[in-house]
Amino acid sequence: MEMTLTVNGTQHTLQVHPGELLRTVLRRLHYFSVKHGDETGDTGADAVLLTYEPDQPNSYRLVNSGVMLAAQADGAAIVTAEGLSGPRDTEMHPLQEQFVACGAIQCGYCTPAQLLAAKKLLDVNPAPTEAEVRDAIAGVVCRCTGYLKPVEAILRAAAQMRGEENPPYAVDIVDAIEAGEWPTGGGDRGDDDDGDTQTKTKTLPATLAPPQTSVVNKSEPKVDANKLVKGRAVFADDMEMPGMLVGGLLTSPHAHARIKRIDTTRAKALPGVHAVLTHEDVPRVLYASGGQSFPNPPPYDQVSLDNKVRHVGDRVAIVAAETPEILQRALELIEVDYEVLPAVFDPVEAMQEGAPVIHDEPDAVKIHDAAHNLVHHLVVNHGNVEAALAEAAFVYTSEYRVQQVQQVSIEPHVVLSWWDEDDRLVIRTSTQVPFHVRRMVAPLLGLPSRRIRVVKPRIGGGFGGKQEMLIEDLCAHLTLATGRPVRFEYTREQEFIASRSRHPQVLRYRSGVDKDGKLVAMDLQVIADAGAFGTHGLTVQMVTGFRGLSTYWLPNAHFDCLVVYTNKPTPGAFRGYGAPQALFGLEQHIEEMALAMGVDPLEFKRRNWVKVGQNLPLAEAMGEGREGFAQLVKSNGLEECVRRW
Ligand code: FES
């Protein structure tokens, strides 16, 4: 159907599909500031200002263009972030100026929608309260910056628009340690063996204050802030190519099943479908998807498309079609007969005798004990924990469980691939690890890496979730099959079921102290849930072991970790990389232990935390699965941290 839209003052007459979304049409017109965050409007990244009465300046409403049909906007006038000011950097709306001045932007993916929400508010309320500002932008979710600085920026923009003068923007600088007396918890190096557990002090000189510089401790505008507030095309998906197809994934509805028969005949026959690929169409090349240095730590337990599914959301088939609507219909037309298998979701149950075997394929490489779903068994030891615990004055044991958590970057995973003028395959992707992607995807595609060029533009939040070779192979397989450029993007639901997350763990701590309240030994046993594939299973747990046994100085320490397959979506890298799980358990354990002894938890911690000059024996023993190295503690901000708290 034909429709008319006026966007930022420019009238467009265009043909749209009756089911086409307004967001799709705006992006087709190259208003790339209008983002895809989800299919339900929950993130608000797709917000635009829209009115059917452009003569009434205050009639604009903030709408989610991703849940509105383009046809519904026929005759409407729309404002996007590109329309807030002129194209030059020197032309800025006060909101854009203040977002830059306040540093209210990190990845910038949510910024265009936040600016529009703020504009709507200031158009009708030139002097909003902080609560009104917070309410106005509440529908636009930010995963990186938070809301403090955007709220500050909007209040300052409001003042500027009222003709008031804002003071120069100043950040709250955290000063260096103050000079004077500081407790050190029993000796500067924590190595006093005189039995004196009284808190000691040392005098810190004023020279610890940092030297004055022109940049450090000053508020500096972010170097790439201007392009972000102006909504310029900077993210992986912010481009259109002639003839570009839409790629998509058919996911498993079962947690554990074998594909007995898969029939793509009807899907392939649908006009506008250019490729339908299953495990019968792509080479079976084993790999590990974690974005890690060569050689990737084993196991190699994944292939691009398999004849078995191991979690709800696992890969079944991929399609390239001319439009999202045709793609959706084609995915529905793929017929799959599954032999549904028993599934297991708890790692403790998964390693028991008789539990369903998740990786029974004969060609998987270096799974520790596939018959018991054990990806790895890690053991690291320093000293003699059992002997020390036997002689300890007090021993305390506790167990914790931490849950699976998703990174939820507002930009979903998205990949574009095409053949360039030199017959190289270009993969433009929202990744944190472009060089790893190139090396890892090459054997899956049967291409030498010199014929692959991976482009990593700005990403809309990663948090470790994009430290993986996730869908680059799928998009590239479709370009290989069709010869056409392909865009392949996850839905928000797929982000949860077919992406990566934080490893759930069971952590059991057992510690002993001597009569003076000093830790003599700690044992940490971890059962880590790796979900369906090994990927970052080894390295994340090594960080758990290291961080979980290094805040407090331990003459004897032992780490034992079982990494276990389950029929759940696969965890991977996530901010902290195994440390948050361990530190939650450790701090909880230490506080409970202190209280059980009738000791002030803070004093107990201060007495035992690692001091400057001490070594970290577990670092040498572990080395993240590779060669270890000695580490000496040269600084420690714990005392300062506790003081400020
Ligand atoms: Fe808001 Fe990244 S800056 S989502």
Side-chain angles (χ1 to χ4, degrees):
M1 61 171 283
E2 186 173 282
M3 67 172 290
T4 304
L5 268 182
T6 303
V7 187
N8 302 330
T10 302
Q11 194 176 71
H12 303 271
T13 301
L14 67 161
Q15 294 292 325
V16 300
H17 184 280
E20 202 166 358
L21 297 173
L22 177 59
R23 178 186 60 214
T24 314
V25 167
L26 289 169
R27 292 185 62 82
R28 187 145 65 80
L29 293 171
H30 292 192
Y31 296 103
F32 289 121
S33 73
V34 185
K35 300 298 186 200
H36 170 221
D38 58 84
E39 295 68 45
T40 51
D42 287 330
T43 63
D46 56 354
V48 296
L49 293 173
L50 180 145
T51 182
Y52 297 99
E53 301 168 290
D55 297 341
Q56 306 292 322
N58 289 344
S59 64
Y60 281 87
R61 291 180 298 129
L62 195 68
V63 301
N64 290 112
S65 61
V67 294
M68 184 172 177
L69 294 175
Q72 292 175 290
D74 191 16
I78 287 173
V79 175
T80 68
E82 290 94 336
L84 288 178
S85 57
R88 308 280 309 279
D89 272 6
T90 47
E91 303 167 286
M92 289 273 205
H93 188 282
L95 279 164
Q96 293 170 316
E97 276 179 35
Q98 294 301 334
F99 265 61
V100 174
C102 298
I105 319 149
Q106 281 200 31
C107 82
Y109 199 77
C110 68
T111 303
Q114 275 197 343
L115 289 168
L116 294 175
K119 180 178 184 327
K120 168 64 190 165
L121 172 70
L122 301 190
D123 282 350
V124 295
N125 181 357
T129 63
E130 181 181 329
E132 287 168 333
V133 170
R134 287 184 177 277
D135 189 51
I137 62 171
V140 182
V141 179
C142 179
R143 224 0 225 107
C144 325
T145 314
Y147 301 93
L148 199 65
K149 285 171 181 277
V151 168
E152 261 183 292
I154 294 164
L155 289 170
R156 285 170 62 93
Q160 185 179 338
M161 291 166 76
R162 293 193 302 267
E164 298 166 18
E165 194 161 331
N166 282 307
Y169 184 72
V171 290
D172 184 17
I173 300 296
V174 177
D175 292 328
I177 297 177
E178 310 131 35
E181 295 285 298
W182 281 73
T184 61
D188 288 357
R189 297 162 61 95
D191 52 1
D192 63 333
D193 292 326
D194 57 7
D196 174 11
T197 58
Q198 297 296 308
T199 296
K200 296 182 177 179
T201 60
K202 66 178 175 182
T203 303
L204 298 183
T207 51
L208 277 179
Q212 285 297 314
T213 72
S214 56
V215 175
V216 176
N217 273 357
K218 304 287 190 310
S219 180
E220 276 290 307
K222 192 178 173 74
V223 291
D224 48 4
N226 287 3
K227 67 185 180 189
L228 297 170
V229 291
K230 285 182 161 288
R232 290 183 185 145
V234 296
F235 295 93
D237 193 30
D238 292 351
M239 67 179 292
E240 277 287 331
M241 299 193 73
M244 181 168 275
L245 301 171
V246 188
L249 175 66
L250 180 67
T251 57
S252 167
H254 302 293
H256 197 192
R258 213 173 293 285
I259 297 173
K260 286 167 48 185
R261 183 186 72 93
I262 186 161
D263 188 345
T264 59
T265 313
R266 292 172 67 210
K268 282 178 177 162
L270 191 69
V273 171
H274 289 257
V276 182
L277 304 179
T278 72
H279 66 273
E280 295 167 359
D281 305 299
V282 298
R284 185 175 176 85
V285 181
L286 285 147
Y287 72 102
S289 61
Q292 311 210 49
S293 303
F294 177 83
N296 275 54
Y300 305 131
D301 55 3
Q302 291 169 266
V303 292
S304 280
L305 291 166
D306 207 348
N307 60 358
K308 190 182 185 195
V309 290
R310 298 176 176 83
H311 64 94
V312 170
D314 203 356
R315 304 163 164 202
V316 175
I318 49 176
V319 174
E322 284 177 6
T323 68
E325 296 77 22
I326 298 171
L327 169 71
Q328 187 55 40
R329 183 70 190 124
L331 291 171
E332 291 163 4
L333 289 174
I334 299 172
E335 296 171 20
V336 191
D337 286 346
Y338 294 99
E339 176 193 354
V340 178
L341 302 169
V344 60
F345 304 103
D346 184 292
V348 178
E349 291 172 20
M351 57 189 181
Q352 305 305 320
E353 204 65 51
V357 178
I358 296 168
H359 281 275
D360 54 356
E361 68 276 19
D363 53 353
V365 178
K366 289 193 179 173
I367 295 174
H368 175 72
D369 179 359
H372 295 92
N373 293 316
L374 289 176
V375 191
H376 301 285
H377 184 190
L378 315 173
V379 180
V380 184
N381 189 64
H382 167 66
N384 189 335
V385 164
E386 293 307 328
L389 289 176
E391 291 180 6
F394 184 78
V395 174
Y396 188 75
T397 304
S398 56
E399 178 178 308
Y400 312 94
R401 281 184 179 243
V402 288
Q403 306 305 317
Q404 197 157 7
V405 188
Q406 227 277 323
Q407 293 88 348
V408 198
S409 52
I410 304 299
E411 176 200 44
H413 285 80
V414 61
V415 178
L416 279 57
S417 59
W418 67 91
W419 289 109
D420 75 3
E421 63 283 3
D422 292 316
D423 208 26
R424 288 179 305 183
L425 184 74
V426 182
I427 300 176
R428 180 181 163 103
T429 170
S430 60
T431 184
Q432 293 175 253
V433 287
F435 296 103
H436 294 322
V437 166
R438 185 170 90 138
R439 166 177 52 81
M440 291 156 66
V441 81
L444 274 58
L445 304 175
L447 291 173
S449 54
R450 68 176 181 277
R451 286 195 61 204
I452 299 173
R453 181 171 171 241
V454 173
V455 179
K456 175 219 160 308
R458 189 173 189 81
I459 61 170
F463 320 113
K466 292 171 180 169
Q467 203 178 320
E468 193 93 7
M469 207 264 300
L470 195 70
I471 53 174
E472 289 84 353
D473 59 325
L474 299 181
C475 191
H477 278 306
L478 291 171
T479 286
L480 261 54
T482 62
R484 298 264 294 259
V486 178
R487 164 183 287 117
F488 197 110
E489 188 167 24
Y490 263 177
T491 63
R492 181 56 55 186
E493 182 183 353
Q494 286 172 335
E495 282 292 313
F496 280 98
I497 62 172
S499 180
R500 295 295 180 256
S501 49
R502 177 172 280 157
H503 287 83
Q505 294 173 346
V506 181
L507 303 115
R508 290 182 192 135
Y509 272 100
R510 192 162 52 110
S511 303
V513 294
D514 64 16
K515 62 179 177 35
D516 297 322
K518 288 204 165 184
L519 285 163
V520 294
M522 190 176 287
D523 176 45
L524 171 58
Q525 295 185 15
V526 173
I527 298 172
D529 186 344
F533 300 104
T535 175
H536 284 271
L538 169 76
T539 42
V540 166
Q541 315 318 316
M542 292 301 273
V543 175
T544 291
F546 176 55
R547 295 305 313 145
L549 291 167
S550 296
T551 303
Y552 302 95
W553 197 80
L554 301 165
N556 302 284
H558 184 76
F559 175 57
D560 189 307
C561 177
L562 294 164
V563 188
V564 188
Y565 289 122
T566 63
N567 291 114
K568 295 201 318 224
T570 307
F574 193 144
R575 217 162 31 186
Y577 206 71
Q581 298 97 310
L583 294 178
F584 163 73
L586 175 66
E587 292 304 301
Q588 193 72 18
H589 173 75
I590 289 289
E591 296 210 6
E592 286 176 22
M593 186 174 187
L595 293 171
M597 291 187 293
V599 177
D600 174 53
L602 188 53
E603 268 317 301
F604 183 56
K605 290 181 182 191
R606 184 177 272 130
R607 191 179 303 156
N608 284 289
W609 67 42
V610 70
K611 309 291 190 304
V612 170
Q614 288 181 322
N615 64 340
L616 299 176
L618 280 185
E620 197 162 354
M622 282 183 175
E624 284 201 8
R626 294 177 184 172
E627 194 178 333
F629 52 92
Q631 287 190 17
L632 195 68
V633 176
K634 294 183 176 168
S635 67
N636 183 347
L638 278 171
E639 179 63 45
E640 187 185 5
C641 178
V642 167
R643 272 198 165 200
R644 288 185 185 278
W645 173 71

